[in-house]
Amino acid sequence: MKCTLPISWQKHLPGELEKPYFTDLQRALTLSYKNRTVYPSEENIFNAFKLTPLENIKVVILGQDPYHGEGQAHGLSFSVPDGVKIPPSLRNIYKELSTDVGKAVPTSGNLEDWATQGVFLLNSTLTVEAGQVGFHQGWGWETFTDEVIRVISQEQPQVVFLLWGKFAQDKASLIDSTKHLLLKAPHPSPLSAHRGFFGCKHFSQANEYLSQKHIEPILW
């Protein structure tokens, strides 16, 4: 696997791609892509990084793994390409969005428009094997994405971090809460959304914070 992390991001992660863990990760992924079905496609692994440069980040939404079904994952947490059935967690995100800001529920699950506005849609693990939830966890992706979160916290001012579910909330220790806004809620999956994700009003809270900081809010 050839790393396609944009140069604009590489300059903020000096030496990270040459560290032994990342070299081992690339070697393992090369074999995995050659011999198995892996999502997303190689050219989309760093799609979130391509669409949202560090200096553009206003909001971070943390996911855990890419979708493991055919045609779903395209490198953005919770997002699916146009024409793909909207997954249950994203459908619940849309329900909360509609209730919170009054927007009609979208018919497409493609969140690229959010990404280009400065919403960094980051999964902790950036690849997965078909039908194998979490199969690439522990391969080294978490080390890389934890460093990405630290860099965002250190180098960007006044970012809103939406931490949905325990996994995302465990990343809070990587973030300087004195300079950023951390909003926490249960995960939007059907198993937990009714425990407090619905009604959390994170979308309006994020925009209110951005407006207070004289940052252009997100057109959700």
Side-chain angles (χ1 to χ4, degrees):
M1 185 204 80
K2 182 179 179 181
C3 180
T4 56
L5 182 69
I7 298 297
S8 64
W9 270 96
Q10 291 188 35
K11 68 183 182 182
H12 296 288
L13 297 159
E16 198 69 24
L17 305 187
E18 286 73 47
K19 290 182 178 178
Y21 87 87
F22 200 87
T23 301
D24 291 343
L25 171 61
Q26 286 189 287
R27 188 179 300 113
L29 286 173
T30 296
L31 291 173
S32 195
Y33 273 97
K34 180 180 179 180
N35 298 317
R36 300 173 181 271
T37 300
V38 180
Y39 302 127
S41 60
E42 288 189 61
E43 62 268 22
N44 280 332
I45 292 175
F46 295 105
N47 202 18
F49 297 81
K50 295 173 185 175
L51 293 175
T52 317
L54 177 65
E55 57 271 19
N56 291 359
I57 293 177
K58 303 175 183 179
V59 178
V60 176
I61 299 179
L62 293 176
Q64 188 165 355
D65 286 294
Y67 296 119
H68 60 274
E70 183 178 0
Q72 292 181 304
H74 65 141
L76 305 173
S77 63
F78 294 104
S79 180
V80 292
D82 291 322
V84 175
K85 183 179 179 181
I86 298 174
S89 290
L90 180 55
R91 191 168 297 281
N92 285 340
I93 290 170
Y94 281 169
K95 287 179 182 178
E96 173 58 24
L97 173 65
S98 179
T99 302
D100 186 11
V101 302
K103 179 178 178 177
V105 174
T107 57
S108 171
N110 191 331
L111 302 180
E112 289 180 355
D113 181 60
W114 290 8
T116 57
Q117 291 184 69
V119 181
F120 190 49
L121 298 163
L122 178 67
N123 279 317
S124 179
T125 302
L126 299 187
T127 56
V128 70
E129 292 193 6
Q132 301 289 324
V133 179
F135 194 82
H136 287 177
Q137 290 178 10
W139 283 30
W141 278 130
E142 296 92 340
T143 302
F144 174 75
T145 54
D146 280 2
E147 183 59 24
V148 169
I149 295 169
R150 288 191 196 95
V151 167
I152 297 170
S153 177
Q154 292 166 3
E155 300 193 18
Q156 274 296 93
Q158 302 163 336
V159 172
V160 182
F161 288 83
L162 303 184
L163 306 179
W164 298 335
K166 183 180 184 302
F167 180 86
Q169 290 165 20
D170 285 345
K171 303 295 184 181
S173 61
L174 305 171
I175 304 163
D176 184 351
S177 60
T178 66
K179 62 182 285 196
H180 304 292
L181 177 63
L182 279 64
L183 296 177
K184 300 178 181 181
H187 194 276
S189 77
L191 294 175
S192 55
H194 292 281
R195 300 173 187 166
F197 178 78
F198 291 137
C200 69
K201 299 187 180 299
H202 280 184
F203 302 101
S204 60
Q205 288 187 63
N207 275 354
E208 181 180 356
Y209 175 85
L210 294 173
S211 295
Q212 289 173 351
K213 303 301 182 182
H214 306 292
I215 301 170
E216 187 73 22
I218 305 298
L219 296 175
W220 300 107

